[in-house]
Every structure is written in C-alpha cells, then in structure tokens.
Amino acid sequence: MKKKFELLAPAGDFPMLVAAVNAGADAVYFGLKEFSMRATARNFSIKDLEEINKVCKPRNIKKYLTLNTIIYNNEIEKVEEIIKNLSRRKLIDAVICWDFAVINLCKKYKVPFFISTQASVSNIKAADFYKKLGAKRIILSRELNLKQIKEISKIPGLEIECFIHGAMCVSISGRCFTSQFLFNKSANRGECLHPCRRTYTVRDEEGNELRVQNSRIFSAKDLCTLPFIEKMKKAGIKCFKIEGRNRDPRYVDVVTRVYRKALDKKLNKQEIKKGIEELKKVYNRKFSSGFYLKIPTSDDFSDIENSAAKERKHFVGKVTHYFTRLGVATIKLVSELKIGDEIIIIGKTTGIRKSKIHHMEVNKQSVQKASKGEEIGVKLPRVRKNDEVYVIKKSSVKIV
C-alpha cells in the first residue's frame, strides 16, 4: 500500500544509512565527497552506490543524491561524469540540486531531479517555473509558514518537501557567508564551520561593550514540528525531511522512529510529550517551530553553544568477535563498563543496536564491572567484529 506521506532521513555514512532504514524511513538522502552541502560529513563515493542500493532495495527505500553546492566552471566536466554514471547505473531515484548547470545535465541524461532548499523557492510562480523545467519535487524555503506552503502545494503534479526536524540556519535557507568571511570556508560549498553557534560580544568603535541577555545572538534553536505535526500533514506536504547528515546513527535512529509514529497515526498529547522527551535525549540546541507557525523571535535563538541533549554516548570499546549460535559478543574495553549500563553498538552493516548489560563475564567468570584493557563476554543481538560500543550516560550539561 502506497503511503500518503514520505519520511526522509539523512545518511552521512553507512551506519547512519542502516539506522535510517531500520528505524522506518521511506527514503534516505546522502552526498558524495564532493558537491554536497555537508562536506564535513563522511559521505560516500560513486563506488558506494551499489552497496547503498543493496541496503535500500529489499525494503523499497528511495535514494536521493545531493549535488546541491555552487558549481564552478572547472567542475562542470566532473559533475557531468557523475550524472552520466547515475544515468547509466540507475542506482538512485533522484538528484537534489539547484545550480542550473546540474539541472540541465540531469535533463540531458534523463536523471530525475528535485530542487534544493538552497534555491529558496518561496512562491507559486517560482515553484511552477521549476516544474516546467522538469523538477518532480521542490524542497521549499524554510522561511515559509504553513499557509504559504499550502498554497504552493496546489500546483498539480508537483511534490512538496519540507524540513520537520533539525538544525536551522540564521541565514536565508542556509545561504550564509559568515564562515567564508571569517575562515575562507564557504557554507555554499558545504564547508560551514558554524561560527554562528559561538558566543559573541557586541562592541562599538570606541571599545564600549554591549551586554546582551543571550550572547549567542546568531544561533537558532533546532526545528521541531512534532507538537504540530497534524498541521504539517494538512499543509499539502508530500515528503517530511529530517536534517542531520552531520549527526550520528543514534540521532538518526531516535528522530526517525519518533516521526515514523507521528506520520503513521495521530498522536495524543501524552504520546507527543513522550516523543519530545525522546528527541531531547539526542543532539539538539533546544527546539523551535521555525517559521511554520509565526515569525521567529528572540525566544527562538539558542542559549547554548553545543548540544542540550539529555544523554551522551561515551566510547567504551570494540567488538572483537560475535558467536552467532550463542548470541554472545566479546568486547575489548578502553573504559569501564558495569552491570546495569545501557549501551549502543554502531557499525557499518549493523547500523545501531541497543542493549542493557544484565550479565557479563571476564575469563568465563561472572563480574559486576570490567575495566579498561579487559575483554568481556556479553549476550547481545547480532553485531559484528570491529563494531563500536558506547555506554549511554546522563548529560552533565546544565540545561536552563
């Protein structure tokens, strides 16, 4: 049965990809090591497309490739080779782009394309223009409210995609120059160093300093639409997109599962509250409704520099062997682990697995805790050699 809504999850590497698929995503989006707006993510190579397809195809997961940076003259030939390759191998469902050179190459080689939010499509005329160019879908500007989105969604034969969760840029749909000016790292080339997240002091030419209540004056809170997801469903949106290719597999797993439930049924107040508590456990800068319900105010700027997550993961070791018949893994520890600890295991094929330590052994002897350098045996769901093991701890960051 065809779903009414599509849930689109980010994949910055293979563990994130597998986590997204296992958590219930209908589609994933990812970039190559070049021409992607998340150049600092691990990303993929053209050779990885076969393996990506093997992960996604059995579950009919759609695959969207981002080629959404600014493209310069000396790069057009390389971009064309990529698009020719995509056309020949037919391993992706669409390219996400906005540069007209990329659009024309997609048209030339008959590769379906979606218009990136980088194009800042904010009205019916612009959306219709891209549709006539051949775009199957528009990822709308993040600066629109639900009423404006609803109006644009009325264009026949054009799918609308909107962000539902994740980082928000203080600039127009991410087109910021601060990182370029300060560090020669262009956000529009996927290299943003996020200077907006830092603490700033306002000073005039005479050296007088202005104290502001929140010194992180450029740092927007993260978008979270769970409290009004039913309104989002009624706005004509086809695809609900999670931001986060620079996050980790646990973030992808938690956020995808929460929104999967929200799209599949109408949640009651208690379920929404529970979902928000889950979202607060992973990376966030506190939450905002973005532009969807109203124009953001000073309350929509974050007062923390890094993450307000209520939980943190701490690396404790790697899987050295897995005994399939016994369902037991051996783990070489680099940090202490004890009975009662909640752990996650992350790996390229494994994705992410969650477990709790109820019993463990060292040298075939039951122990209550194990120390750095020891190798433990513990019952776990299917994991693999060299998978990374993390213990989940409560955050020590004080959240006001």
Side-chain angles (χ1 to χ4, degrees):
M1 188 175 110
K2 190 174 181 181
K3 292 180 179 177
K4 184 177 180 181
F5 305 115
E6 179 180 280
L7 179 59
L8 177 56
D13 57 21
F14 275 107
M16 291 173 69
L17 174 74
V18 176
V21 171
N22 290 338
D26 299 305
V28 291
Y29 67 104
F30 50 88
L32 301 176
K33 297 188 184 298
E34 295 177 286
F35 313 123
S36 163
M37 284 298 291
R38 294 296 183 273
T40 53
R42 292 183 185 178
N43 291 319
F44 299 91
S45 68
I46 281 287
K47 293 178 181 177
D48 290 328
L49 293 180
E50 289 280 1
E51 194 170 347
I52 291 171
N53 195 51
K54 287 178 182 177
V55 174
C56 296
K57 191 173 181 180
R59 301 198 197 182
N60 296 316
I61 307 298
K62 291 185 177 180
K63 307 164 295 293
Y64 307 140
L65 177 68
T66 60
L67 292 173
N68 56 347
T69 62
I70 292 173
I71 306 296
Y72 293 111
N73 280 339
N74 63 319
E75 297 169 328
I76 291 176
E77 189 175 327
K78 190 165 189 177
V79 173
E80 183 164 11
E81 282 301 312
I82 291 171
I83 294 173
K84 280 170 67 177
N85 192 309
L86 298 176
S87 177
R88 184 176 68 253
R89 298 169 73 189
K90 301 191 185 310
L91 293 175
I92 65 156
D93 294 282
V95 164
I96 298 174
C97 60
W98 68 288
D99 190 294
F100 284 106
V102 182
I103 291 171
N104 281 333
L105 288 169
C106 286
K107 287 164 66 71
K108 178 179 178 179
Y109 294 103
K110 295 180 171 55
V111 175
F113 63 92
F114 301 159
I115 300 302
S116 169
T117 191
Q118 292 296 109
S120 296
V121 176
S122 305
N123 60 72
I124 292 175
K125 293 292 185 181
D128 194 51
F129 169 79
Y130 284 111
K131 181 197 170 187
K132 288 174 181 174
L133 271 183
K136 307 294 183 185
R137 176 185 294 179
I138 306 282
I139 301 130
L140 292 179
S141 165
R142 303 191 206 200
E143 292 74 46
L144 297 178
N145 60 43
L146 292 180
K147 182 180 177 182
Q148 292 168 321
I149 292 169
K150 180 79 171 178
E151 291 170 353
I152 298 172
S153 75
K154 293 175 182 177
I155 298 174
L158 183 67
E159 293 182 352
I160 297 300
E161 177 178 313
C162 289
F163 284 92
I164 56 168
H165 195 89
M168 293 281 285
C169 181
V170 72
S171 188
I172 306 273
S173 279
R175 293 192 293 173
C176 181
F177 295 96
T178 311
S179 182
Q180 172 71 34
F181 289 153
L182 293 177
F183 308 108
N184 200 31
K185 292 290 185 180
S186 173
N188 301 292
R189 298 280 288 171
E191 300 173 328
C192 185
L193 294 180
H194 308 288
C196 60
R197 306 301 181 186
R198 299 181 178 184
T199 297
Y200 287 92
T201 300
V202 180
R203 184 183 295 115
D204 68 14
E205 293 177 350
E206 296 178 356
N208 298 310
E209 292 187 358
L210 177 66
R211 285 187 179 183
V212 289
Q213 190 172 9
N214 179 6
S215 57
R216 292 168 186 87
I217 53 178
F218 302 121
S219 184
K221 289 180 179 178
D222 283 2
L223 176 66
C224 177
T225 64
L226 188 63
F228 55 96
I229 194 68
E230 290 303 313
K231 291 182 179 180
M232 297 287 290
K233 289 181 186 180
K234 296 173 183 176
I237 300 165
K238 166 65 179 177
C239 179
F240 293 69
K241 185 175 193 173
I242 299 166
E243 186 277 337
R245 280 187 285 153
N246 275 336
R247 299 289 166 250
D248 68 353
R250 184 166 176 255
Y251 172 93
V252 173
D253 177 72
V254 170
V255 178
T256 303
R257 289 182 189 278
V258 167
Y259 282 98
R260 176 77 278 158
K261 291 177 183 176
L263 291 184
D264 287 348
K265 71 166 193 172
K266 184 176 181 178
L267 303 182
N268 59 41
K269 288 183 179 180
Q270 192 60 36
E271 289 171 321
I272 290 173
K273 184 178 179 181
K274 184 178 178 181
I276 291 172
E277 288 306 309
E278 285 297 303
L279 295 172
K280 286 180 178 179
K281 290 179 181 179
V282 294
Y283 195 101
N284 72 85
R285 296 185 183 91
K286 300 186 178 180
F287 297 135
S288 163
S289 59
F291 287 78
Y292 290 132
L293 303 181
K294 60 179 178 61
I295 298 293
T297 67
S298 59
D299 291 335
D300 294 290
F301 283 87
S302 181
D303 55 6
I304 56 166
E305 189 160 332
N306 295 306
S307 176
K310 290 187 173 182
E311 295 180 349
R312 295 281 194 277
K313 70 180 196 300
H314 173 70
F315 180 66
V316 292
K318 282 189 175 183
V319 175
T320 53
H321 192 77
Y322 187 76
F323 300 90
T324 306
R325 191 166 57 85
L326 298 174
V328 170
T330 54
I331 302 170
K332 184 74 170 180
L333 296 179
V334 298
S335 186
E336 181 183 277
L337 195 65
K338 62 184 184 299
I339 298 296
D341 280 345
E342 292 185 3
I343 63 169
I344 58 171
I345 303 94
I346 294 174
K348 180 178 178 180
T349 304
T350 302
I352 182 168
R353 295 279 189 273
K354 302 174 188 176
S355 191
K356 188 172 184 176
I357 304 296
H358 296 290
H359 177 84
M360 62 180 173
E361 295 183 1
V362 175
N363 297 324
K364 298 183 179 180
Q365 297 294 316
S366 178
V367 296
Q368 290 297 304
K369 68 177 181 178
S371 303
K372 176 181 177 180
E374 291 186 307
E375 187 173 62
I376 65 168
V378 60
K379 274 191 170 292
L380 288 175
R382 180 72 171 100
V383 293
R384 293 157 184 87
K385 184 178 179 180
N386 291 325
D387 283 356
E388 296 178 345
V389 183
Y390 298 83
V391 64
I392 301 300
K393 295 184 175 182
K394 297 293 183 184
S395 174
S396 58
V397 177
K398 185 178 180 181
I399 307 299
V400 180

